[in-house]
Amino acid sequence: VGIFIASESLFTLNQWERGIRLQFGRIVEVYEEPGLHFKLPFIQNVRKFDGRIQTLETKPEPFLTSEKKNLIVDTFVKWRAMDPAVYYQRVQGSPAVFNQLLEPIVKNNFRAAFGKRDVQTVVGGNIDTESKKYGKKGDSLVFDKPLDAINLDEKTLEDIHEADVDSVIKSKESHIAEIAGQKVDLNNTIRQEIEKAILVALSIEAEKYGVEIVDVRINGVELPDDVTENVFNRMRTDRERVATELRSKGEAAYIEKV
């Protein structure tokens, strides 16, 4: 009898697990550290959750650009449960349930982001950055890191949402090049900025479920056949224009020296 009671009173959490102790359906303690733990036998039970990084992979889906042209986009999101109590209360600790709730939010954010941009910008666009912690830049708010955006007060977040402003996170290292008089951050593409902005939006939403969003990525962007040729033609024209300008500057500099 003693051995049986002892076995019902002790439980272990592995390194990758989180847990909660319940008594009559009410949470009485949260466990975030691995090891041996105690519970009252018979009247208390334990729920364990996987604290490792989980993945939501969305199926390729067509998103309309600002030009009303389709791009076939597939994405994935990496997340993990950080608050076991909230995670249990909101989704019963089920990764499948959370993924079902998260997927339409992910798609809506990407749909809105692609809808504000044209095909060429999404496929190969670059942006420049500013040194401010955050500041309004056109129709974007620029932040140094995701926490700067997440920690904004509720009123500011509401204002950003109502104004339909993009949240843009700067890269840790920015190397600004100047091409034909235009500053371009070669390490900061539009697609990366879309990912970072959506990471902020999803992080704010996921916090309500006790979840941390670790990463958001565009897995691939495919062009329908009717769009591919037009995009390549426009890109070729732009590259030729830049090459012509650079060649003209080089010739002018050579003439001055001669």
Side-chain angles (χ1 to χ4, degrees), residues 27-54:
I27 299 173
V28 294
E29 192 165 356
V30 174
Y31 299 96
E32 297 185 356
E33 297 297 327
L36 188 65
H37 301 280
F38 174 80
K39 68 180 179 71
L40 294 176
F42 311 120
I43 65 171
Q44 293 183 342
N45 65 298
V46 173
R47 287 289 308 272
K48 300 178 183 180
F49 314 117
D50 194 332
R52 292 173 293 189
I53 293 176
Q54 308 291 319

Short mmCIF file of all heavy atoms in Angstrom, two decimals, residues 27-54:
data_model
loop_
_atom_site.label_atom_id
_atom_site.label_comp_id
_atom_site.label_asym_id
_atom_site.label_seq_id
_atom_site.Cartn_x
_atom_site.Cartn_y
_atom_site.Cartn_z
N ILE A 27 -6.38 24.71 -11.35
CA ILE A 27 -4.92 24.73 -11.34
C ILE A 27 -4.42 25.21 -9.99
O ILE A 27 -4.79 26.30 -9.53
CB ILE A 27 -4.38 25.64 -12.46
CG1 ILE A 27 -4.81 25.13 -13.83
CG2 ILE A 27 -2.86 25.73 -12.39
CD1 ILE A 27 -4.46 26.07 -14.97
N VAL A 28 -3.59 24.40 -9.34
CA VAL A 28 -3.04 24.78 -8.03
C VAL A 28 -1.54 25.06 -8.10
O VAL A 28 -0.99 25.71 -7.21
CB VAL A 28 -3.33 23.70 -6.97
CG1 VAL A 28 -4.81 23.61 -6.69
CG2 VAL A 28 -2.78 22.34 -7.38
N GLU A 29 -0.87 24.58 -9.14
CA GLU A 29 0.56 24.86 -9.27
C GLU A 29 1.00 24.63 -10.72
O GLU A 29 0.46 23.76 -11.41
CB GLU A 29 1.39 23.98 -8.33
CG GLU A 29 2.85 24.43 -8.23
CD GLU A 29 3.59 23.81 -7.06
OE1 GLU A 29 2.96 23.07 -6.26
OE2 GLU A 29 4.80 24.07 -6.94
N VAL A 30 1.98 25.45 -11.13
CA VAL A 30 2.56 25.35 -12.46
C VAL A 30 4.01 24.91 -12.33
O VAL A 30 4.75 25.41 -11.48
CB VAL A 30 2.49 26.71 -13.19
CG1 VAL A 30 3.23 26.64 -14.53
CG2 VAL A 30 1.04 27.12 -13.41
N TYR A 31 4.43 23.98 -13.18
CA TYR A 31 5.80 23.47 -13.15
C TYR A 31 6.50 23.78 -14.47
O TYR A 31 6.01 23.40 -15.53
CB TYR A 31 5.81 21.95 -12.93
CG TYR A 31 5.17 21.52 -11.63
CD1 TYR A 31 3.84 21.12 -11.60
CD2 TYR A 31 5.89 21.50 -10.45
CE1 TYR A 31 3.23 20.72 -10.42
CE2 TYR A 31 5.30 21.10 -9.26
CZ TYR A 31 3.98 20.72 -9.26
OH TYR A 31 3.38 20.32 -8.08
N GLU A 32 7.62 24.49 -14.38
CA GLU A 32 8.40 24.81 -15.58
C GLU A 32 9.81 24.23 -15.51
O GLU A 32 10.56 24.33 -16.47
CB GLU A 32 8.46 26.32 -15.77
CG GLU A 32 7.08 26.95 -16.00
CD GLU A 32 7.17 28.43 -16.30
OE1 GLU A 32 8.28 28.99 -16.25
OE2 GLU A 32 6.12 29.02 -16.57
N GLU A 33 10.16 23.63 -14.36
CA GLU A 33 11.49 23.05 -14.19
C GLU A 33 11.40 21.53 -14.20
O GLU A 33 10.48 20.95 -13.62
CB GLU A 33 12.11 23.52 -12.88
CG GLU A 33 12.37 25.03 -12.81
CD GLU A 33 13.37 25.49 -13.85
OE1 GLU A 33 14.29 24.71 -14.16
OE2 GLU A 33 13.22 26.62 -14.35
N PRO A 34 12.35 20.87 -14.85
CA PRO A 34 12.35 19.40 -14.86
C PRO A 34 12.73 18.83 -13.49
O PRO A 34 13.27 19.54 -12.64
CB PRO A 34 13.41 19.06 -15.91
CG PRO A 34 14.34 20.23 -15.88
CD PRO A 34 13.49 21.43 -15.60
N GLY A 35 12.41 17.55 -13.29
CA GLY A 35 12.80 16.90 -12.04
C GLY A 35 11.65 16.15 -11.41
O GLY A 35 10.60 15.93 -12.01
N LEU A 36 11.85 15.77 -10.15
CA LEU A 36 10.86 15.02 -9.38
C LEU A 36 9.98 15.98 -8.60
O LEU A 36 10.47 16.88 -7.91
CB LEU A 36 11.58 14.06 -8.42
CG LEU A 36 10.70 13.05 -7.67
CD1 LEU A 36 10.06 12.06 -8.63
CD2 LEU A 36 11.55 12.31 -6.62
N HIS A 37 8.66 15.78 -8.70
CA HIS A 37 7.70 16.68 -8.01
C HIS A 37 6.67 15.86 -7.24
O HIS A 37 6.49 14.66 -7.48
CB HIS A 37 7.00 17.57 -9.04
CG HIS A 37 7.95 18.41 -9.84
ND1 HIS A 37 8.50 19.58 -9.37
CD2 HIS A 37 8.46 18.24 -11.09
CE1 HIS A 37 9.30 20.11 -10.29
NE2 HIS A 37 9.28 19.30 -11.35
N PHE A 38 5.99 16.56 -6.34
CA PHE A 38 5.03 15.89 -5.45
C PHE A 38 3.62 16.37 -5.72
O PHE A 38 3.39 17.53 -6.06
CB PHE A 38 5.41 16.19 -3.99
CG PHE A 38 4.42 15.69 -2.99
CD1 PHE A 38 4.41 14.35 -2.60
CD2 PHE A 38 3.46 16.54 -2.45
CE1 PHE A 38 3.47 13.88 -1.68
CE2 PHE A 38 2.53 16.08 -1.53
CZ PHE A 38 2.54 14.75 -1.15
N LYS A 39 2.64 15.47 -5.57
CA LYS A 39 1.23 15.82 -5.62
C LYS A 39 0.46 14.98 -4.61
O LYS A 39 0.94 13.93 -4.16
CB LYS A 39 0.66 15.59 -7.03
CG LYS A 39 0.57 14.13 -7.44
CD LYS A 39 -0.01 14.01 -8.84
CE LYS A 39 -0.09 12.55 -9.29
NZ LYS A 39 -1.13 11.80 -8.58
N LEU A 40 -0.70 15.46 -4.22
CA LEU A 40 -1.55 14.69 -3.31
C LEU A 40 -2.19 13.54 -4.09
O LEU A 40 -2.78 13.76 -5.14
CB LEU A 40 -2.64 15.58 -2.71
CG LEU A 40 -2.14 16.70 -1.76
CD1 LEU A 40 -3.32 17.56 -1.32
CD2 LEU A 40 -1.42 16.12 -0.56
N PRO A 41 -2.07 12.33 -3.59
CA PRO A 41 -2.63 11.20 -4.33
C PRO A 41 -4.15 11.24 -4.37
O PRO A 41 -4.80 11.73 -3.44
CB PRO A 41 -2.13 9.98 -3.54
CG PRO A 41 -1.85 10.50 -2.17
CD PRO A 41 -1.41 11.93 -2.34
N PHE A 42 -4.72 10.76 -5.46
CA PHE A 42 -6.15 10.56 -5.65
C PHE A 42 -6.95 11.85 -5.91
O PHE A 42 -7.87 11.86 -6.70
CB PHE A 42 -6.77 9.80 -4.46
CG PHE A 42 -6.01 8.57 -4.09
CD1 PHE A 42 -5.46 8.43 -2.83
CD2 PHE A 42 -5.80 7.55 -5.01
CE1 PHE A 42 -4.72 7.30 -2.48
CE2 PHE A 42 -5.09 6.41 -4.68
CZ PHE A 42 -4.54 6.29 -3.41
N ILE A 43 -6.61 12.97 -5.22
CA ILE A 43 -7.41 14.19 -5.39
C ILE A 43 -6.75 15.18 -6.34
O ILE A 43 -7.35 16.18 -6.72
CB ILE A 43 -7.71 14.87 -4.04
CG1 ILE A 43 -6.41 15.37 -3.39
CG2 ILE A 43 -8.48 13.94 -3.13
CD1 ILE A 43 -6.67 16.24 -2.18
N GLN A 44 -5.49 14.93 -6.68
CA GLN A 44 -4.79 15.82 -7.60
C GLN A 44 -4.25 15.02 -8.79
O GLN A 44 -3.88 13.85 -8.64
CB GLN A 44 -3.63 16.54 -6.90
CG GLN A 44 -4.08 17.53 -5.84
CD GLN A 44 -2.91 18.27 -5.21
OE1 GLN A 44 -1.76 17.84 -5.29
NE2 GLN A 44 -3.21 19.41 -4.59
N ASN A 45 -4.24 15.65 -9.94
CA ASN A 45 -3.65 15.02 -11.12
C ASN A 45 -2.80 16.04 -11.87
O ASN A 45 -2.89 17.25 -11.61
CB ASN A 45 -4.73 14.45 -12.04
CG ASN A 45 -5.62 15.51 -12.61
OD1 ASN A 45 -6.31 16.23 -11.88
ND2 ASN A 45 -5.63 15.64 -13.93
N VAL A 46 -1.96 15.54 -12.75
CA VAL A 46 -0.98 16.38 -13.44
C VAL A 46 -1.19 16.30 -14.94
O VAL A 46 -1.43 15.23 -15.49
CB VAL A 46 0.45 15.95 -13.07
CG1 VAL A 46 1.48 16.71 -13.90
CG2 VAL A 46 0.71 16.16 -11.59
N ARG A 47 -1.10 17.46 -15.60
CA ARG A 47 -1.09 17.51 -17.07
C ARG A 47 0.28 17.99 -17.52
O ARG A 47 0.80 18.98 -17.03
CB ARG A 47 -2.17 18.48 -17.58
CG ARG A 47 -3.59 17.97 -17.45
CD ARG A 47 -3.88 16.84 -18.43
NE ARG A 47 -3.55 17.17 -19.79
CZ ARG A 47 -4.39 17.78 -20.62
NH1 ARG A 47 -5.61 18.11 -20.22
NH2 ARG A 47 -4.02 18.05 -21.87
N LYS A 48 0.86 17.27 -18.46
CA LYS A 48 2.18 17.62 -19.00
C LYS A 48 2.05 18.10 -20.44
O LYS A 48 1.24 17.57 -21.20
CB LYS A 48 3.12 16.41 -18.93
CG LYS A 48 3.35 15.87 -17.53
CD LYS A 48 4.28 14.64 -17.58
CE LYS A 48 4.46 14.03 -16.21
NZ LYS A 48 5.37 12.84 -16.25
N PHE A 49 2.88 19.09 -20.80
CA PHE A 49 2.87 19.63 -22.14
C PHE A 49 4.29 19.64 -22.70
O PHE A 49 5.26 19.80 -21.96
CB PHE A 49 2.32 21.06 -22.16
CG PHE A 49 1.07 21.24 -21.37
CD1 PHE A 49 1.04 22.08 -20.27
CD2 PHE A 49 -0.08 20.55 -21.71
CE1 PHE A 49 -0.11 22.24 -19.53
CE2 PHE A 49 -1.24 20.70 -20.98
CZ PHE A 49 -1.26 21.55 -19.89
N ASP A 50 4.37 19.49 -24.00
CA ASP A 50 5.66 19.54 -24.68
C ASP A 50 6.10 21.00 -24.79
O ASP A 50 5.43 21.82 -25.41
CB ASP A 50 5.54 18.92 -26.08
CG ASP A 50 6.89 18.62 -26.71
OD1 ASP A 50 7.87 19.31 -26.36
OD2 ASP A 50 6.98 17.68 -27.53
N GLY A 51 7.23 21.32 -24.18
CA GLY A 51 7.73 22.70 -24.22
C GLY A 51 8.68 22.97 -25.37
O GLY A 51 9.22 24.07 -25.47
N ARG A 52 8.87 21.97 -26.23
CA ARG A 52 9.77 22.18 -27.37
C ARG A 52 9.09 22.99 -28.47
O ARG A 52 7.88 23.18 -28.45
CB ARG A 52 10.22 20.82 -27.91
CG ARG A 52 11.13 20.05 -26.95
CD ARG A 52 11.42 18.64 -27.43
NE ARG A 52 10.23 17.79 -27.41
CZ ARG A 52 10.25 16.48 -27.60
NH1 ARG A 52 11.40 15.87 -27.83
NH2 ARG A 52 9.14 15.77 -27.58
N ILE A 53 9.90 23.43 -29.41
CA ILE A 53 9.37 24.25 -30.50
C ILE A 53 8.47 23.42 -31.41
O ILE A 53 8.84 22.32 -31.84
CB ILE A 53 10.53 24.87 -31.31
CG1 ILE A 53 11.28 25.89 -30.45
CG2 ILE A 53 10.01 25.54 -32.58
CD1 ILE A 53 12.49 26.49 -31.12
N GLN A 54 7.28 23.95 -31.67
CA GLN A 54 6.31 23.30 -32.55
C GLN A 54 6.27 24.05 -33.89
O GLN A 54 6.71 25.21 -33.97
CB GLN A 54 4.91 23.31 -31.92
CG GLN A 54 4.87 22.76 -30.50
CD GLN A 54 5.13 21.27 -30.45
OE1 GLN A 54 4.65 20.52 -31.29
NE2 GLN A 54 5.89 20.83 -29.46
#
